[in-house]
Every structure is written in structure tokens, then in C-alpha cells.
């Protein structure tokens, strides 16, 4: 008897052998059923070798209790002790699978299926499993036989007799045998249906690929034909009845549970399409309607049951279409987008535990391998395998994937699949989530051979392998392109020139030969620059391919690299700054404007980093003015000063454009900006502040050059139009008014001459040809338009507006805002025009009619000939002009009474009108959405084409780039145009109601 407070020697031995509840284990070992072997050291050693000794012992006691008599119990114990193969297999299963322990407890004689230990038993095939299922004559007995066969696979799996790939293949073979048995039962139940038709069952997914899980849906497609002389519609109804019965036999739950669901949703039209089609119907669908993912799914199509001839005909007819899929427009982006969509649909709470679908999971490997197969399988039949690991091996052998990368992925995939198998085996439930419970993690780790600290070891290994997959799965597609243009060691496999060209075409490169030349220039050599670029390029190529113009992205990267490649900070920025490389890739491939701005001063690439030095956040007007004025003070003369000011403007335009592109495209670190209005407001405010600072710096430079510190007249610049409204776009001119006021004692003529010279010199210096973009100053909104003087005194403005001002001038003054020069003069000008733009009592009927007449005239006369009015973002129905004139009419009518309307900004005025009850919330939202979209269209056109425009581009690649900026994926330019038309049409209806009513 054990002394109180001291543990028994059995307790200690149980702890040493891996039991977590030695007390319960002691009680089980004391059970009468185990009396004959209780003290046999062989049993304890064998239990300790299992994944979960406690579970194995509990399962063994249940199995012994289930034996029908003492003789059967003695036979089991004698065999268990004497036959090591049975001992390892039986206890291994009991320690890994609670569900199979339940099966053995219900079917106490099935343990004998594990006794056999012959060479042919090591790797069983379809015929072996068909023999194992042969006696099943109803769905219940089929389930029992299926579990018996599953028991033998699991036993050899947990003992290491077969590896993970062989296990998956055997599970697929067992599924094949089961489908055949289920079809035989269905045919036996309805022989009249079987006599009318030929039915073939095509395995898809993991079953078709010979890589099934323990618990998984079995994906199938059914093909049916009428037998000779039979009516086809009737034959198809018969085939559908047989297929439906087959699915029920496998899927329905009986007293013995279910086998697995049979899923036919990969068929043409999915669950909305007929369950069974003829071969010609299948072929017609895939030739006309199938999407890219459907051809990807056909990679794994394999006939498994039913009419073998019909199944072979199906594969022979459809396989050629599979290998043409890579020729489809937007093939690579479609596949990659589908992968991203899968990740996005994972519940947030599960992402970090997903073995299959999460980042670095099994699906990443499978997608990458299938993508490469589809691109290169057209010319290389060695890649025509539905099995992931076999296809990966063939890709490496052919040089399509680097051998080291393939070896790492193979190891990671095997480990992740092993984890998945053992997780599912425990309770035979369909799951791909890593458990959170400590006991489950411990059993899982031990089942994979991790005996020292199994939980920590498992988590470390899992994260390591997932990290490898995450790092390689996208690079897998791009890295061999570098090897194709680099010097490799003798004997190293590499992409052929044709294979590299095919891959570049699949990525969307219009000129693959030029792209490969750029890669060669960037990646060749032994310099530090080449080494870093070889590391970066696989990722950059993926980001370029995700744009509408990969060719331009790669070419621009080469130009930047040539300009900055020898500067240490540039390479360090791309290598070490998490966001810099992706931001650069997005900016370089999104259109012409941002790369053009960058090429004029490549050092601005430093702004793309995610550190504190710069960044993409816009700078305020005060900060910009401070910098421009400091640059002017340091310069020798006005020409040099304004050149410096224009340099600041170019850099800040690049910062604004880059931030806009990154916000519109999104990156791994920063999702797409959800509030499109906020993006528009940021661009408008940033460009407007920059323009104001540019004018302030230029004004200071001109005055200093000609008059020293003091001009003989006070001088102010008033922003008008979009400039005054803080709504400038990248290509906007600066609409302004110039006002001056002679200083006390100054000669008025001299003061006027000085003011005119200032304006003339400012305009000249801001348009001098240089590497920096010009800033055009437009003063056509001044009194009397182009016929009036360029500069007026404040008194002259007052006299003109008092006597001669027209409705359109009052209308234009709604946007007037002081932007540069003498602040007091600017304030007094604004005070002068406020009563004109916000008249007491609002507008009379004649003024309203005049505004409507001007608007109608503008629509008819200013729209460019040949332009589609419905797609003109400025002057078309529901465009910027419609929204702005509607809002401005409300400001002219009600601005005197409603303080909120006294703003130069369109969106702010619209919001104030809504708050004042002048427009409904619904109508205000409609107008706001239309204005934001039209503004973004104009910004997109400028970013893409490098020149301003109010209509969508006609060039397909430029149109696609505008679509990407606006959030429409590859191949969806038509959806973008439809969305614009809908939005504009709704806005025009509101304009007709509010402006013209």
C-alpha cells in the first residue's frame, strides 16, 4: 500500500510515459479487463508512444469492454502484446482519434482489420478498398465498411508507415471506391433508370487531385448520355435521379453517421445549373460562359465512377480548354483576386488559426502552383498533374520554380497538411482551424513527433512553415523570371526564353521582350545594388502586375534605379522601410503624372517611406509658405528664386499624387480609403494650399528683384473658381483676381505700372520651360473679362461692381478668397464683395432666369464636339457644373440669411443647405456622390495620362488604369462607365428639380 502523501511508483511511471491524468489512468489500468496485462511493461511503453496516452488507454478499455466474451477479449490482449504491428497501429489510432475509438467500441471485431501486415498492405489502392466495401448492401453497411477501411489508413498514417501524400492519395482512392459502391447501390435501387443512361462521375478538387483530407466534401461533376435508342430528356432525368441518390447515400446521416457530403456545386452554373448535363452541354458552357476559376478547377478533374468511356471522353474534350485559360484577358489578376477574396471572407476571429485559407496557408501553395501550371502547361505536358506536390516537383524540374523554393514549399505543405489531417482525425470533423485548447495542441504536437514541449514546438513549427509559404507563394511566380535573365550555376534548371515570355504575357506585360531586358539590366551583376534588387524584384513584379500598366511600372522602376542606384539611402529605404517598396510600385505603375514628377527629381522617392522623415501626409499652407519664402531669401535673383519655388511645388505635387494613388489602390499595410470624399478633399486642399504658397513665394521673389522690400502699392491675390474653393485638381490653372492699392504718397500711375509688372513677371517666371511643371495663371474672371485691365485698385473694383457688375460676376465671386499678398487688402476686398455674392433678399426672378440661361448656353456651346455628354465629368448631365451651379444658386438666394452657405467650398455649402432644409438629405447625398465621383474621374485622367481631361480615355489600357484608381478591378472598365452614368443620371434628376424647376 502506498503511504499517504506519497505517489505510487505506477503514478510516477505514468507521468514519465506522457499521461496527463495519471490518477484516472491508474484506475483504468486497475480495470478487470486489463488484469492479464496490467504489469506488462510493453503495454505501458506502447501507450506512452501514442499522441495521447490517456485517450489511447481509455479507448483500449472501451474496446475490451465491447468484446462479446472473455475468449474474444483474451484474443485481443494476446495479439496486442505479442504482435508489435497491431499494438502500434491499434494504440496509435486510439491515441489520435476519438471518433475511430467510438467506431471500434460499436464494432468490436473491426480491430482485426489492423492485424494484417503484408507488403501489399503498406500502400493500398482502389481495388483493395473496393474489396473492403464489397459486402456493403445498404447505406448503413457502406458506412461501417468505409470506417473499417478508414481505420486501416489512419493506423498506417499515425505509425508513419505511409507519409502525408500517400495518406491523402489513399483517402482519395477510398473515396473513389465509395462513390462506385454508392452508385452501384443507387443503380440496384432503380435498374430501370440505370438501363436508360450512361452516367460518369468526375472527381474534382482534392479528390480529383488525389490529395483528399480525412474529412472533406467530395467535389464531383456528373456527365450523362442516353444509351442508344433512348430518349435524351428521359435519360437525363434518369441520370439525375441516380446522381441524386448517390449523393444522398454518401451525405445523409444514419445510425452510423455519414460518410462525407458530395458537393456538385463546381458544375456549370453552380447550384443553379442542372445536376447532370450531356458532354456537349458541358463543352458548350466551357467554350462560351466559363470564368477563369472554373478552368482552374478543371485542373483536378478525374473520372472515378460510372461509365469509364464517358468519363474519358469528358476529360479528353475539356482538358485542351484548361490549357488555353492563360490566354484569357486578365488571367493572372483574376486568379490572384479570387485568392484575395477568399482571405477577405475569413471571419476575423479565425484568420490567425486558419490552416487552409489564411495567409501562409495550404491554399496559398495550391493557388501558386495552379497558376504556374496554367501558364506553362500549354507547352509542357509534364505539368499536367492534379496533385499539388507532384505538380510542384514538375515545375521545379522544368525550371519554372527555383529548386530551393520548391523544396521549402514542399516541406511546408507537407507539414501543414499533416497538421490538418491530425486535427480532422481526432473527431472526424471537417475543420481547418488550429485548436486553442492546450490538451488538443499537446495531442496534435505529439502526433507529429514533437515530444519535448509539444505545444511550444508545434506553434513554432507552424508559424515557421506558414511564414515560408507567405514569403514564397507570390514570389514563386516572379523569381524564376530573374533567373531566366541571370547567370546561373552550371546544370541549374531555368525558365526558357519562351517560358519567361509566356509568364510575362500572363502577367499583363504588353512588351515581354522589353520587360525581360529591364529585368536583366536590374538584376545582373554582383554589386550590392543588383543583389538588393534581385531580392525586391519578385515582389515588385507582383505589384506591377496588379496595375493596369505593368510595362510602365517596370520601366519607371529601372529609370529610378538608374538615377538613384548608387545612393546608399535609396537601396536602404526600399529594403528596410516596410511601405516604401510597395508605395513605389503603386506610384510607378498607376499612370504618367506621378512618375514624370518623380523622374524630374528622383530623390523625392524618400517621401514614400513610412518613417518620420517626410511621408505622404500633406503639408499645410503655413508650412509650405514658410519653405517657399525661405527658398526665395536664399536665392540670387528672381529667376533662381522662382525655380526653387517651382521645385518645392513639383515635390509637393508628387507627395499629393503618391498619397492619392496609395489611398486609392491600397497596400498591404494600408487598406483602400473607404471615404472617397475625404480623398477628394485632401487632394483639393493640398493642391490649393500648394498653389497659394507658390504664388506667395513667386510674388515675394518678383517684388524683391524689382523693388526691394516694399512695392509702391499694396498687392493682393484673390483665388477664384476651384482655387478659391480649395478644390484644385492636378491639372487645374490658378483662377485669380489681382487687386492693388497705392501706398500713401505713391504716384498712382507708378503704382499701377508696378502692379502690372508684378503680374506679368509672375506669369512669365511660372511658365519658363524647365524640368518643373508650369503653373498657369488665369485672370479671365476679372471685371469685363479679357477686355478689362489685368490689375485694378480696390476703389476701381468697388466702382465697377456698384455700377456695372453682371449676374455672372456675382456668381463667380462666390468662390473668391484671399490667397496671397497683402492680408489686410485681401480682407477688405472680401468685405467688398460679400454683399454682392450674398445679396440681402436673395436674387430676383430676372437674375435667376439669367443664371439658368447662362447655364443652358454653356451646356450647348462649351461641350467639345464629338464628346459623349453622358461621360463628360465637367459639363455633362450630372457632372461638376450641374452640381456646382445648383449649390451656388442656393448660396446666391439664401446666403444672406444662412451663415453656413457663406463658404467657397462646394461640399461644405451643400451640407449647409441640407442642414438649413433647402435640400433633402437624399438629394444632397445624390449631388455629393456625383460631385465626388466626377472630381475623382478628372483627377484619375490627369494621373493616368499626365494631362488634364474631362472625359474618360479611349485607350483601353488608360481606361483600365482609371478604373483601377476608381476601385474597379481588371476587366471591369464597363462597370465603371455604367456606375458613372447611373450616378450622373440620378444627379441630373435632382438638378432638374432644384435648378431648372
Amino acid at each position: 500500500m502506498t503511504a499517504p502523501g506519497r505517489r505510487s511508483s505506477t503514478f510516477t511511471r505514468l507521468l514519465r510515459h506522457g499521461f496527463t491524468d495519471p490518477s484516472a489512468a491508474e484506475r483504468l489500468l486497475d480495470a478487470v479487463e486489463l488484469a492479464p496485462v496490467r504489469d506488462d511493461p510493453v503495454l505501458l511503453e506502447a501507450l506512452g508512444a501514442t499522441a495521447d496516452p490517456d485517450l489511447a488507454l481509455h479507448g483500449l478499455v472501451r474496446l475490451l469492454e465491447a468484446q462479446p466474451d472473455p475468449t474474444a477479449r483474451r484474443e485481443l490482449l494476446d495479439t496486442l502484446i505479442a504482435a508489435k504491428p497491431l499494438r502500434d497501429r491499434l494504440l496509435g489510432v486510439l491515441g489520435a482519434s476519438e471518433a475511430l475509438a467510438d467506431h471500434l467500441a460499436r464494432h468490436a471485431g473491426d480491430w482485426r482489420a489492423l492485424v494484417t501486415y503484408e507488403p501489399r498492405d503498406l500502400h493500398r489502392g482502389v481495388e483493395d478498398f473496393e474489396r473492403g466495401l464489397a459486402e456493403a448492401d445498404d447505406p448503413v453497411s457502406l458506412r461501417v465498411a468505409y470506417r473499417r477501411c478508414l481505420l486501416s489508413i489512419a493506423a498506417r498514417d499515425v505509425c508513419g508507415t505511409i507519409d502525408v501524400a500517400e495518406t491523402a492519395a489513399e483517402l482519395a482512392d477510398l473515396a473513389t471506391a465509395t462513390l462506385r459502391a454508392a452508385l452501384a447501390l443507387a443503380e440496384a435501387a432503380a435498374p430501370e433508370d440505370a438501363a436508360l443512361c450512361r452516367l460518369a462521375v468526375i472527381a474534382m478538387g482534392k479528390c480529383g487531385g488525389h490529395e483528399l483530407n480525412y474529412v472533406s466534401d467530395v467535389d464531383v461533376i456528373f456527365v450523362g448520355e442516353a444509351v442508344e435508342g433512348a430518349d435524351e430528356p428521359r435519360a437525363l432525368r434518369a441520370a439525375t435521379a441516380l446522381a441524386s441518390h448517390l449523393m444522398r447515400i454518401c451525405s445523409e446521416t444514419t445510425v452510423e453517421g455519414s460518410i462525407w457530403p458530395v458537393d456538385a456545386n463546381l458544375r456549370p452554373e453552380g447550384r443553379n445549373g442542372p445536376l447532370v448535363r450531356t458532354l456537349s452541354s458541358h463543352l458548350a458552357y466551357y467554350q462560351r460562359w466559363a470564368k477563369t476559376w472554373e478552368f482552374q478547377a478543371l485542373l483536378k478533374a478525374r473520372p472515378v465512377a460510372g461509365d469509364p468511356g464517358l468519363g474519358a471522353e469528358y476529360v479528353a474534350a475539356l482538358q485542351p480548354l484548361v490549357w488555353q485559360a492563360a490566354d484569357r484577358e486578365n488571367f493572372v489578376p483574376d486568379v490572384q483576386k479570387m485568392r484575395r477574396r477568399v482571405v477577405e471572407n475569413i471571419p476575423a476571429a479565425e484568420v490567425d488559426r486558419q490552416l487552409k485559407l489564411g495567409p501562409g496557408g495550404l491554399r496559398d501553395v495550391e493557388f501558386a502552383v495552379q497558376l504556374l501550371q496554367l501558364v506553362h502547361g500549354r507547352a509542357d505536358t509534364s505539368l499536367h498533374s492534379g496533385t499539388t506536390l507532384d505538380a510542384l516537383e514538375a515545375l521545379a524540374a522544368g525550371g519554372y520554380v527555383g529548386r530551393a523554393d520548391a523544396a521549402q514549399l514542399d516541406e511546408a505543405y507537407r507539414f501543414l497538411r499533416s497538421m490538418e489531417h491530425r486535427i480532422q482525425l481526432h473527431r472526424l470533423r471537417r475543420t481547418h482551424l488550429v485548436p486553442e485548447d492546450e490538451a488538443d495542441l499537446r495531442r496534435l504536437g505529439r502526433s507529429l513527433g514533437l515530444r519535448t514541449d509539444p505545444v511550444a514546438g508545434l506553434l513554432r513549427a507552424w508559424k515557421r512553415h506558414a511564414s515560408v509559404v507567405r514569403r514564397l507563394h507570390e514570389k514563386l511566380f516572379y523569381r524564376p523570371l530573374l533567373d531566366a535573365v541571370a547567370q546561373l550555376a552550371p546544370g541549374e534548371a531555368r525558365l526558357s526564353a519562351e517560358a519567361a515570355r509566356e509568364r510575362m504575357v500572363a502577367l499583363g506585360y504588353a512588351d515581354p521582350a522589353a520587360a525581360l531586358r529591364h529585368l536583366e539590366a536590374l538584376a545582373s551583376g554582383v554589386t550590392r545594388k543588383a543583389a538588393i534588387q534581385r531580392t525586391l524584384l519578385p515582389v515588385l513584379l507582383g505589384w506591377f502586375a496588379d496595375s493596369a500598366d505593368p510595362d510602365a511600372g517596370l520601366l519607371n522602376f529601372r529609370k529610378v534605379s538608374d538615377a538613384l542606384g548608387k545612393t546608399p539611402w535609396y537601396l536602404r529605404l526600399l529594403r528596410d522601410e516596410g511601405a516604401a517598396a510597395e508605395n513605389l510600385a503603386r506610384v510607378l505603375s498607376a499612370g504618367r503624372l506621378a512618375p514624370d514628377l518623380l523622374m524630374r527629381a528622383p530623390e523625392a522617392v524618400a517621401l514614400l517611406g513610412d518613417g518620420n522623415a517626410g511621408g505622404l501626409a500633406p503639408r499645410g499652407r503655413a508650412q509650405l509658405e514658410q519653405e517657399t519664402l525661405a527658398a526665395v531669401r536664399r536665392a540670387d535673383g528672381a529667376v533662381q528664386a522662382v525655380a526653387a519655388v517651382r521645385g518645392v511645388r513639383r515635390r509637393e505635387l508628387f507627395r499629393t499624387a503618391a498619397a492619392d494613388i496609395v489611398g486609392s489602390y491600397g497596400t498591404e499595410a494600408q487598406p483602400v480609403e473607404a471615404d472617397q470624399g475625404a480623398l477628394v478633399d485632401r487632394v483639393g486642399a493640398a493642391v490649393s494650399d500648394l498653389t497659394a504658397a507658390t504664388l506667395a513665394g513667386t510674388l515675394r521673389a518678383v517684388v524683391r528683384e524689382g523693388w526691394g522690400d516694399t512695392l509702391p502699392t499694396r498687392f493682393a491675390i484673390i483665388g477664384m473658381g476651384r482655387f478659391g474653393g480649395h478644390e484644385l485638381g492636378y491639372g487645374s490653372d490658378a483662377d485669380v483676381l489681382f487687386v492693388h492699392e497705392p501706398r500713401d504718397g505713391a504716384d498712382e500711375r507708378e503704382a499701377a505700372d508696378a502692379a502690372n509688372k508684378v503680374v506679368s513677371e509672375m506669369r512669365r517666371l511660372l511658365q519658363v520651360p524647365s524640368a518643373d511643371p508650369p503653373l498657369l495663371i488665369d485672370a479671365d474672371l476679372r471685371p469685363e473679362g479679357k477686355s478689362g485691365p489685368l490689375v485694378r485698385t480696390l476703389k476701381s473694383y468697388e466702382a465697377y461692381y456698384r455700377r456695372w457688375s453682371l449676374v455672372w460676376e456675382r456668381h463667380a465671386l462666390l468662390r473668391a478668397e484671399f490667397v496671397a499678398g497683402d492680408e489686410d487688402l485681401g480682407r477688405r476686398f472680401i468685405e467688398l464683395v460679400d454683399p454682392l455674392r450674398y445679396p440681402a433678399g436673395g436674387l430676383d426672378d430676372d437674375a435667376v432666369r439669367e443664371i439658368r440661361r447662362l447655364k443652358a448656353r454653356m451646356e450647348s456651346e462649351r461641350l467639345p464636339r464629338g464628346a459623349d455628354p453622358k461621360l463628360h465629368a465637367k459639363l455633362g448631365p450630372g457632372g461638376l457644373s450641374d452640381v456646382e451651379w445648383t449649390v451656388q444658386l442656393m448660396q446666391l438666394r439664401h446666403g444672406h440669411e444662412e451663415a453656413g452657405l457663406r463658404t467657397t467650398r462646394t461640399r461644405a455649402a451643400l451640407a449647409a443647405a441640407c442642414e438649413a432644409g433647402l435640400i433633402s438629405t437624399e438629394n444632397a447625398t445624390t449631388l455629393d456622390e456625383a460631385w465626388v465621383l466626377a472630381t475623382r474621374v478628372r483627377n484619375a485622367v490627369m494621373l493616368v495620362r499626365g494631362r488634364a481631361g474631362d472625359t474618360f480615355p479611349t485607350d483601353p489600357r488608360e481606361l483600365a488604369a482609371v478604373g483601377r484608381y476608381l476601385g474597379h478591378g481588371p476587366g471591369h472598365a464597363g462597370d465603371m462607365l455604367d456606375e458613372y452614368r447611373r450616378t450622373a443620371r440620378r444627379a441630373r434628376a435632382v438638378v432638374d428639380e432644384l435648378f431648372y424647376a
Side-chain angles (χ1 to χ4, degrees):
M1 180 176 175
T2 304
R6 294 185 60 187
R7 290 177 172 175
S8 69
S9 59
T10 303
F11 187 100
T12 305
R13 279 191 300 140
L14 290 170
L15 275 178
R16 194 168 61 247
H17 281 92
F19 287 84
T20 56
D21 189 353
S23 300
E26 273 192 292
R27 289 193 295 273
L28 289 172
L29 285 170
D30 287 338
V32 65
E33 290 82 5
L34 281 176
V37 296
R38 181 180 302 131
D39 298 321
D40 194 317
V42 169
L43 176 63
L44 206 55
E45 290 287 342
L47 287 168
T50 65
D52 188 338
D54 301 84
L55 188 65
L57 177 58
H58 183 256
L60 178 61
V61 171
R62 289 179 64 205
L63 177 58
L64 288 167
E65 290 173 345
Q67 297 306 306
D69 52 56
T71 303
R73 191 177 302 128
R74 187 73 227 186
E75 178 192 357
L76 171 57
L77 285 172
D78 289 347
T79 311
L80 186 71
I81 298 301
K84 186 177 188 310
L86 171 72
R87 185 167 64 247
D88 291 344
R89 290 180 177 191
L90 178 59
L91 296 183
V93 167
L94 293 175
S97 178
E98 199 174 294
L100 289 177
D102 291 343
H103 172 84
L104 286 169
R106 288 196 306 275
H107 304 280
D110 277 5
W111 65 269
R112 293 182 177 85
L114 304 180
V115 174
T116 308
Y117 194 76
E118 298 174 2
R120 71 178 181 84
D121 181 50
L122 297 182
H123 303 290
R124 304 183 71 181
V126 176
E127 293 77 12
D128 298 298
F129 292 124
E130 284 187 304
R131 283 193 292 273
L133 302 176
E135 295 181 6
D137 55 6
D138 58 51
V140 173
S141 60
L142 180 60
R143 281 154 175 68
V144 174
Y146 173 83
R147 289 291 173 92
R148 190 181 304 120
C149 292
L150 191 66
L151 184 65
S152 72
I153 297 174
R156 286 174 291 115
D157 175 20
V158 298
C159 292
T161 307
I162 53 178
D163 66 19
V164 65
E166 291 166 332
T167 301
E170 288 198 16
L171 289 167
D173 285 342
L174 175 55
T176 297
T178 306
L179 288 169
R180 292 176 182 177
L183 181 57
L185 291 176
E187 289 174 338
E192 65 286 356
D193 285 341
L196 285 173
C197 64
R198 299 165 63 204
L199 177 66
V201 183
I202 311 298
M204 305 287 284
K206 281 189 160 38
C207 183
H210 240 84
E211 50 189 18
L212 199 60
N213 299 327
Y214 275 103
V215 186
S216 174
D217 290 358
V218 171
D219 296 308
V220 299
I221 285 177
F222 296 106
V223 192
E225 297 284 353
V227 298
E228 189 173 351
D231 175 63
E232 184 176 286
R234 187 179 172 202
L236 283 177
R237 287 195 296 273
T240 300
L242 292 173
S244 300
H245 194 184
L246 177 153
M247 294 174 71
R248 289 196 302 276
I249 288 171
C250 296
S251 305
E252 286 181 347
T253 301
T254 69
V255 291
E256 288 293 337
S258 66
I259 301 176
W260 18 246
V262 176
D263 188 341
N265 287 337
L266 290 178
R267 66 187 185 270
E269 299 179 76
R271 64 184 62 196
N272 296 321
L275 185 62
V276 182
R277 287 176 183 258
T278 63
L279 178 55
S280 61
S281 176
H282 276 281
L283 196 56
Y285 174 84
Y286 283 105
Q287 287 172 334
R288 295 191 61 188
W289 308 111
K291 296 181 173 62
T292 298
W293 70 264
E294 293 177 282
F295 292 106
Q296 187 179 352
L298 283 173
L299 269 174
K300 297 184 178 294
R302 179 172 64 95
V304 291
D307 189 300
L310 181 56
E313 289 176 46
Y314 175 89
V315 171
L318 291 180
Q319 282 300 299
L321 300 181
V322 172
W323 306 112
Q324 295 168 17
D327 293 331
R328 295 164 67 91
E329 187 179 2
N330 301 312
F331 163 70
V332 171
D334 279 352
V335 174
Q336 292 172 330
K337 185 169 70 175
M338 186 167 72
R339 172 66 189 122
R340 285 194 294 269
R341 191 181 301 129
V342 168
V343 175
E344 290 164 1
N345 289 334
I346 302 172
E350 296 182 1
V351 169
D352 293 335
R353 297 168 51 215
Q354 258 285 355
L355 268 178
K356 178 180 178 181
L357 303 178
L362 293 163
R363 189 57 62 85
D364 275 348
V365 182
E366 292 159 1
F367 262 63
V369 168
Q370 289 164 20
L371 190 59
L372 289 169
Q373 284 182 277
L374 289 168
V375 170
H376 298 295
R378 291 173 291 180
D380 189 344
T381 57
S382 71
L383 304 180
H384 293 193
S385 171
T387 306
T388 301
L389 291 176
D390 290 348
L392 182 58
E393 183 181 4
L395 287 165
Y400 304 104
V401 172
R403 289 189 184 277
D405 289 347
Q408 283 187 287
L409 275 182
D410 182 280
E411 181 186 2
Y413 189 76
R414 288 174 183 273
F415 182 84
L416 295 174
R417 283 302 300 272
S418 296
M419 280 186 70
E420 183 182 47
H421 278 185
R422 301 301 164 79
I423 290 169
Q424 293 184 348
L425 181 60
H426 181 221
R427 291 193 173 91
L428 288 182
R429 290 180 184 168
R430 182 172 179 251
T431 180
H432 308 286
L433 295 178
V434 177
E436 296 177 295
D437 182 74
E438 184 89 4
D440 289 335
L441 290 170
R442 181 176 183 275
R443 181 186 60 257
L444 180 57
R446 283 174 59 92
S447 76
L448 296 172
L450 303 168
R451 297 305 168 94
T452 304
D453 198 358
V455 175
L458 171 71
L459 296 177
R460 274 196 308 271
W462 171 35
K463 296 301 181 187
R464 176 170 59 83
H465 286 298
S467 176
V468 166
V469 173
R470 255 196 322 271
R471 179 169 52 85
L472 288 180
H473 95 274
E474 285 188 352
K475 293 182 184 180
L476 198 70
F477 197 81
Y478 307 109
R479 185 174 290 170
L481 290 168
L482 304 185
D483 294 340
V485 296
Q487 298 297 316
L488 299 184
E492 178 72 17
R494 64 190 285 172
L495 280 182
S496 67
E498 180 58 25
R501 192 198 69 79
E502 284 179 345
R503 197 173 295 192
M504 297 303 279
V505 170
L507 284 168
Y509 286 85
D511 188 351
L516 288 169
R517 286 197 300 273
H518 298 324
L519 283 182
E520 184 173 12
L522 289 161
S524 296
V526 294
T527 63
R528 177 171 173 270
K529 169 188 171 184
I532 292 176
Q533 288 181 162
R534 279 195 295 271
T535 302
L536 288 169
L537 274 166
V539 185
L540 289 170
L541 285 171
W543 288 324
F544 293 150
D546 191 36
S547 75
D549 196 349
D551 299 80
L554 183 55
L555 172 61
N556 289 331
F557 179 69
R558 181 179 176 183
K559 289 179 179 177
V560 172
S561 181
D562 288 345
L564 296 177
K566 294 182 180 178
T567 56
W569 65 264
Y570 166 69
L571 295 172
R572 190 165 57 247
L573 174 82
L574 295 185
R575 186 192 64 201
D576 299 337
E577 292 276 2
E582 186 174 5
N583 288 346
L584 179 62
R586 297 298 182 200
V587 167
L588 293 180
S589 57
R592 294 179 185 173
L593 178 65
D596 284 351
L597 293 169
L598 181 60
M599 297 310 166
R600 290 167 181 171
E603 66 275 5
V605 76
L607 299 175
L608 299 171
D610 57 0
N612 296 321
L616 296 179
R619 302 168 75 200
R621 181 181 298 191
Q623 191 177 3
L624 291 168
E625 277 196 23
Q626 184 179 12
E627 182 180 1
T628 56
L629 295 176
V632 169
R633 284 195 300 272
R634 291 191 299 268
D636 294 327
V639 172
Q640 189 184 94
V642 175
V645 169
R646 289 175 66 181
V648 172
R649 178 171 178 264
R650 184 245 316 124
R651 184 198 67 212
E652 294 304 318
L653 278 175
F654 172 74
R655 187 199 304 269
T656 303
D660 189 15
I661 290 165
V662 170
S664 298
Y665 273 69
T667 64
E668 291 181 4
Q670 177 182 329
V672 174
E673 172 69 63
D675 185 352
Q676 304 296 295
L679 269 176
V680 165
D681 290 343
R682 276 203 296 273
V683 171
V687 179
S688 300
D689 286 347
L690 178 56
T691 302
T694 302
L695 292 177
T698 304
L699 175 60
R700 176 68 60 86
V702 170
V703 170
R704 193 181 70 161
E705 173 91 348
W707 295 273
D709 291 336
T710 306
L711 195 66
T713 185
R714 296 182 180 86
F715 188 90
I717 304 174
I718 308 299
M720 299 289 285
R722 296 189 172 282
F723 185 15
H726 299 258
E727 296 162 0
L728 283 180
Y730 299 111
S732 300
D733 297 346
D735 288 318
V736 297
L737 298 178
F738 296 110
V739 57
H740 79 103
E741 183 180 67
R743 296 186 184 278
D744 292 342
D747 180 76
E748 290 193 8
R749 181 176 293 278
E750 181 187 345
D753 288 345
N756 277 286
K757 285 178 183 177
V758 166
V759 171
S760 176
E761 189 65 1
M762 285 182 67
R763 297 176 85 175
R764 184 185 72 81
L765 290 173
L766 286 170
Q767 296 179 52
V768 169
S770 78
D772 299 311
L775 175 59
L776 302 180
I777 296 176
D778 186 342
D780 289 351
L781 292 175
R782 64 187 183 271
E784 301 177 76
K786 292 181 181 180
S787 304
L790 200 57
V791 188
R792 287 177 181 262
T793 64
L794 185 62
K795 286 183 180 178
S796 176
Y797 275 106
E798 182 180 6
Y800 175 86
Y801 287 138
R802 185 174 62 249
R803 296 186 63 189
W804 310 111
S805 67
L806 302 174
V807 172
W808 74 263
E809 291 173 311
R810 283 191 276 169
H811 186 189
L813 287 170
L814 284 168
R815 302 288 208 118
E817 181 171 292
F818 166 75
V819 293
D822 189 293
E823 207 169 322
D824 178 66
L825 180 60
R827 177 184 55 76
R828 285 186 284 133
F829 179 88
I830 297 302
E831 289 173 354
L832 167 68
V833 301
D834 270 351
L836 291 169
R837 56 184 179 176
Y838 310 125
L843 293 180
D844 58 32
D845 292 343
D846 289 341
V848 172
R849 278 194 295 271
E850 175 65 10
I851 288 176
R852 289 172 178 161
R853 187 187 66 78
L854 288 169
K855 175 74 168 71
R857 178 181 167 190
M858 184 178 70
E859 287 179 9
S860 63
E861 293 180 1
R862 292 180 59 186
L863 195 69
R865 180 174 296 179
D868 181 354
K870 293 180 180 177
L871 292 176
H872 199 281
K874 182 177 181 181
L875 302 176
L880 294 172
S881 177
D882 265 1
V883 176
E884 288 166 2
W885 282 61
T886 301
V887 172
Q888 288 157 11
L889 183 58
M890 287 189 280
Q891 289 180 280
L892 288 164
R893 281 176 148 178
H894 305 286
H896 184 74
E897 294 83 19
E898 295 292 341
L901 291 174
R902 298 197 285 271
T903 175
T904 62
R905 307 179 189 219
T906 302
R907 299 187 72 211
L910 181 57
C914 182
E915 189 174 340
L918 302 175
I919 181 174
S920 69
T921 301
E922 181 182 358
N923 284 347
T925 301
T926 298
L927 292 183
D928 185 71
E929 288 175 352
W931 188 89
V932 167
L933 179 57
T935 303
R936 278 181 56 75
V937 168
R938 297 180 88 208
N939 285 345
V941 170
M942 184 66 188
L943 285 169
V944 169
R945 303 181 68 191
R947 60 182 188 273
D950 297 315
T951 59
F952 289 89
T954 54
D955 177 79
R957 183 159 280 203
E958 290 180 345
L959 186 64
V962 170
R964 293 304 312 279
Y965 173 86
L966 295 176
H968 296 273
H972 291 277
D975 295 340
M976 169 184 66
L977 298 178
D978 289 343
E979 180 195 8
Y980 182 83
R981 290 188 186 99
R982 281 195 305 273
T983 304
R985 187 169 59 247
R986 290 196 298 267
R988 180 62 185 209
V990 176
V991 172
D992 286 341
E993 176 187 339
L994 297 179
F995 185 83
Y996 288 112

